[in-house]
Amino acid sequence: MVLEATMICIDNSEWMRNGDYSPNRFQAQADAVNLICGAKTQSNPENTVGVLTMAGKGVRVLVTPTSDLGKILACMHGLEIGGEMNLAAGIQVAQLALKHRQNKKQQQRIIVFAGGPVKYDKKVLEMIGRKLKKNSVALDVVNFGEEDEGKAEKLEALVAAVNTNDSSHVVHVPPGPSALSDVLISTPIFTGDGEGGSSFAAAAAAAAGGVSGFEFGVDPNLDPELALALRVSMEEERARQEAAAKKAAEEAAKQESGEQPSASQDATISENVNTGTTEPEIKTKDLMDDDNALLQQALAMSMDESSSAVATRDTEMSEAAADDHDLQLALQLSVQEGTKDQSNQTDMNKLLGDQSFVSSILASLPGVDPNDPSVKDLLASMQSQSESQQNKDEDKAPKEEEKK
Amino acid sequence: MACLHDHSCEEHDCSSDWSLYKHIDLSKVSALNEAVSGSVKSVFRAWEQRLNSSEGHLESNEGDPELIVFIPFTSDVKIKSISIVGGADGTSPAKMRVFINRDGIDFSDAQSMQPVQEWDLVENLQGVLEYQTRYSRFQSVGNITLHFPENFGGETTQIHYIGLKGEATQLKRDVVATIVYELMPNPSDHKTRSETGGGLSQVE
């Protein structure tokens, strides 16, 4: 919800007649500008937006920064295409327009649509960028249309010179099936507004789909304070959930790394398997109530799951097809989640603990020599691990009993 | 213009003279061309802490020694003198120009406008120098803007402490906020309590 005054620099040069963006570059750009204006004014009602054109007879300011959306949309009508884009002059005039904004408390931002080729060289652009940075003006550049050699590089250099704290961005949009505005919705130009941008984007997407669904079912025009309050509480809730999810993910990751002493070189594969199987677990944790006991239970189950992944380690080692019935059982157990039987686990562990059984499995696998010293080491470590697993399981079982 | 702080501080309490930092509206302090956004707030401290820049200092961007510092106050103040502690190796500012009660001054404005007063600074690493103001011009200061156009040859300009000496009045300089303007007076907008049937009305 940053208080911002924005100047949008439109490219209305000859290069905008091209039809590689549907319906043509100029229309796509106009749609994107409409979307941006709406997003800015929605994210903060005191935001102002102005528009200027960079090509044609010369740089011309169509509307000075205003919060009146209708005025901005109206000025986009009847624009003529012609001439060449003058990037440097456009940015400088935009800076001047922002300097004379009415509310000096607003942050200054310039958004440039660069469709045509850029005739200035890198040094000039970098100097302009430094001047913008000195006066704390942020710059967003949308690079679309002509793919001149060096154009992308020049624009990257320009934005790098302006950028402080990731406030300025450059977005390259190649021609493709999706509309320019759709591509821009997911970029930092929209989401860089913070929460307001993304919620507007959702509403805009819904509106574009033909459904006039307002965010939260409340028309922001009719009741702005209510819409604002709802949006803020939604963002807070989302942030809280993200923090909780992150914490749970960290704890689960810590548990896993504690479980497996990485003796074998397949530790990475098994870890991948682990994260794969625990991720769905983590998601279910999110969906469940933030009940501490339930969370503990889920963590416990994920820990048990890692023990069954030791069995999958065997299968990963050989990449054998699951012809062997025992291997199939092991795979099934590791893939299952949520409805695991405790006793099943301890059975599995007992099986693993039985060294002869394990070595018989290994012998049946092609390419594995049970007399190989590394395999023997692995067996030894697995056995000790499965013993410790058994102990942990026994500890866990009484703990689970207590909790229940 | 500059006076040396050569008396012992037991005679009067120096720190109380330099206490205008308490009246600075820190949340609205801003600077232009600072390398780290927000670092300007760390240069306002008590007099005793003036050499203690553990919380950071204000530094300009690489290769560009100009700085502008905008300081709004919570109430109108009178400023008697200003003290600046710069950095070593030529990073101290060499000149200072101040503007009073102007909002939103940027570099092009600062270079073209006539300042209320300007000084040539010297390197003041111990913070013992102060620069006196023409007091009559600094009588009701709601905000002050300091512009440092040059330094002593360093790549950047560093400022570790800005001290302001003076007095605070209790007057607040408030911007005209919400006022209802009437094109034509409408008596129904100005009902007194007696007309609306409220309590007792006084006849004077």
Side-chain angles (χ1 to χ4, degrees):
Chain A
M1 298 280 275
V2 184
L3 184 56
E4 232 176 22
T6 309
M7 275 305 286
I8 303 185
C9 302
I10 296 184
D11 182 5
N12 59 336
S13 62
E14 282 289 345
W15 282 265
M16 303 306 284
R17 290 192 202 273
N18 198 329
D20 52 359
Y21 296 80
S22 63
N24 56 41
R25 286 180 186 170
F26 188 70
Q27 252 333 100
Q29 188 190 220
D31 290 338
V33 169
N34 291 345
L35 211 59
I36 292 182
C37 293
K40 295 286 180 189
T41 41
Q42 257 214 351
S43 78
N44 187 328
E46 285 191 56
N47 279 351
T48 55
V49 180
V51 176
L52 62 81
T53 53
M54 292 193 285
K57 294 216 180 84
V59 175
R60 190 162 66 101
V61 175
L62 297 175
V63 57
T64 54
T66 169
S67 52
D68 183 359
L69 196 57
K71 213 170 172 187
I72 300 169
L73 298 181
C75 81
M76 299 282 296
H77 282 204
L79 279 181
E80 287 185 358
I81 297 184
E84 219 180 72
M85 171 179 84
N86 189 343
L87 186 62
I91 293 182
Q92 283 165 345
V93 172
Q95 196 184 347
L96 201 61
L98 285 174
K99 187 172 130 147
H100 294 290
R101 64 198 186 284
Q102 281 191 324
N103 183 356
K104 301 287 182 192
K105 293 201 177 67
Q106 290 167 326
Q107 302 282 331
Q108 304 173 67
R109 179 174 291 274
I110 300 178
I111 302 183
V112 174
F113 283 85
V118 175
K119 61 182 185 224
Y120 293 93
D121 56 330
K122 216 172 170 196
K123 282 220 173 41
V124 174
L125 292 178
E126 276 178 359
M127 235 172 36
I128 294 179
R130 272 196 294 271
K131 191 158 161 252
L132 288 177
K133 182 178 182 179
K134 192 165 162 177
N135 288 297
S136 69
V137 179
L139 177 67
D140 288 331
V141 177
V142 179
N143 177 13
F144 69 112
E146 284 302 302
E147 273 307 313
D148 230 6
E149 11 92 6
K151 179 184 176 194
E153 222 188 285
K154 289 180 190 174
L155 294 176
E156 291 273 358
L158 170 63
V159 174
V162 185
N163 195 9
T164 37
N165 280 9
D166 206 23
S167 63
S168 305
H169 320 94
V170 57
V171 177
H172 306 278
V173 185
S178 50
L180 182 62
S181 25
D182 290 339
V183 175
L184 284 181
I185 285 183
S186 55
T187 59
I189 293 186
F190 268 90
T191 59
D193 292 355
E195 326 80 32
S198 50
S199 65
F200 176 80
V211 178
S212 69
F214 286 113
E215 187 78 52
F216 307 120
V218 175
D219 183 352
N221 293 324
L222 290 179
D223 200 348
E225 287 146 347
L226 181 57
L228 190 65
L230 286 171
R231 190 194 299 155
V232 168
S233 72
M234 168 79 166
E235 296 310 327
E236 279 177 14
E237 181 63 32
R238 202 183 291 170
R240 195 183 61 79
Q241 274 186 353
E242 275 174 27
K246 210 188 279 181
K247 230 191 206 172
E250 274 176 21
E251 282 179 35
K254 269 189 222 151
Q255 304 280 7
E256 287 170 6
S257 52
E259 282 310 292
Q260 290 159 10
S262 47
S264 86
Q265 57 267 51
D266 293 333
T268 46
I269 300 177
S270 57
E271 268 171 33
N272 286 341
V273 170
N274 266 339
T275 47
T277 47
T278 45
E279 258 174 44
E281 279 250 308
I282 291 172
K283 280 182 191 142
T284 52
K285 279 179 212 161
D286 276 355
L287 296 172
M288 280 192 279
D289 298 331
D290 253 322
D291 203 63
N292 231 354
L294 280 173
L295 202 60
Q296 291 281 2
Q297 201 170 23
L299 277 172
M301 291 210 295
S302 77
M303 272 171 55
D304 288 337
E305 205 177 25
S306 62
S307 70
S308 71
V310 174
T312 48
R313 205 194 281 169
D314 290 21
T315 57
E316 298 296 287
M317 245 182 6
S318 63
E319 291 174 343
D323 286 338
D324 199 355
H325 173 68
D326 294 326
L327 290 178
Q328 245 180 353
L329 189 68
L331 276 171
Q332 267 183 355
L333 282 171
S334 70
V335 164
Q336 234 176 18
E337 67 183 63
T339 54
K340 242 181 295 279
D341 208 351
Q342 281 280 4
S343 54
N344 222 353
Q345 280 306 303
T346 48
D347 281 347
M348 203 56 211
N349 285 339
K350 281 185 195 141
L351 281 176
L352 285 175
D354 193 351
Q355 180 143 17
S356 55
F357 176 70
V358 175
S359 49
S360 72
I361 290 186
L362 287 180
S364 67
L365 299 173
V368 176
D369 185 0
N371 295 326
D372 199 1
S374 56
V375 173
K376 278 193 174 158
D377 287 348
L378 180 62
L379 278 177
S381 70
M382 255 173 39
Q383 190 177 30
S384 60
Q385 192 182 36
S386 56
E387 280 174 6
S388 66
Q389 273 297 343
Q390 270 187 332
N391 293 337
K392 274 204 178 132
D393 283 347
E394 283 157 16
D395 287 347
K396 203 139 265 77
K399 268 193 204 158
E400 293 296 307
E401 303 295 307
E402 285 171 22
K403 282 212 175 77
K404 285 171 191 166
Chain B
M1 279 294 200
C3 79
L4 269 175
H5 211 91
D6 57 359
H7 57 266
S8 66
C9 287
E10 287 131 19
E11 286 160 5
H12 70 267
D13 190 1
C14 291
S15 61
S16 65
D17 286 342
W18 292 93
S19 61
L20 273 187
Y21 73 95
K22 293 184 194 150
H23 298 271
I24 294 178
D25 192 351
L26 264 183
S27 59
K28 300 209 186 102
V29 169
S30 69
L32 287 183
N33 204 28
E34 53 178 350
V36 177
S37 174
S39 58
V40 61
K41 300 187 184 167
S42 60
V43 304
F44 301 105
R45 296 185 285 269
W47 171 251
E48 298 92 18
Q49 310 293 327
R50 69 192 182 281
L51 298 176
N52 175 17
S53 35
S54 52
E55 277 172 33
H57 57 269
L58 173 62
E59 185 155 6
S60 69
N61 278 318
E62 197 60 39
D64 196 350
E66 274 193 89
L67 273 177
I68 287 186
V69 181
F70 171 72
I71 309 170
F73 296 99
T74 51
S75 60
D76 280 0
V77 299
K78 305 179 204 240
I79 301 185
K80 233 188 280 183
S81 57
I82 305 179
S83 172
I84 308 279
V85 174
D89 295 333
T91 56
S92 280
K95 261 176 115 113
M96 177 165 72
R97 307 160 83 231
V98 302
F99 307 89
I100 290 190
N101 294 334
R102 305 284 301 245
D103 238 358
I105 292 187
D106 70 354
F107 286 99
S108 47
D109 294 336
Q111 276 147 13
S112 53
M113 273 169 32
Q114 189 75 283
V116 173
Q117 193 169 354
E118 63 182 303
W119 294 266
D120 286 321
L121 308 179
V122 294
E123 287 192 337
N124 177 20
L125 298 171
Q126 296 309 310
V128 296
L129 290 177
E130 54 185 79
Y131 302 94
Q132 276 179 340
T133 63
R134 284 193 203 115
Y135 201 41
S136 58
R137 298 194 189 175
F138 287 76
Q139 283 299 306
S140 65
V141 178
N143 59 58
I144 188 172
T145 306
L146 310 175
H147 174 220
F148 304 96
E150 323 167 334
N151 65 5
F152 285 101
E155 279 291 314
T156 64
T157 299
Q158 287 179 7
I159 294 184
H160 292 261
Y161 169 72
I162 296 180
L164 301 167
K165 186 195 234 183
E167 291 166 14
T169 64
Q170 292 309 309
L171 305 169
K172 270 194 182 325
R173 173 179 286 269
D174 266 339
V175 181
V176 166
T178 40
I179 290 203
V180 178
Y181 292 97
E182 287 184 320
L183 278 180
M184 264 182 15
N186 189 351
S188 62
D189 285 337
H190 302 276
K191 282 196 164 49
T192 64
R193 264 170 52 194
S194 59
E195 286 164 22
T196 52
L200 305 166
S201 65
Q202 281 203 325
V203 178
E204 283 169 354

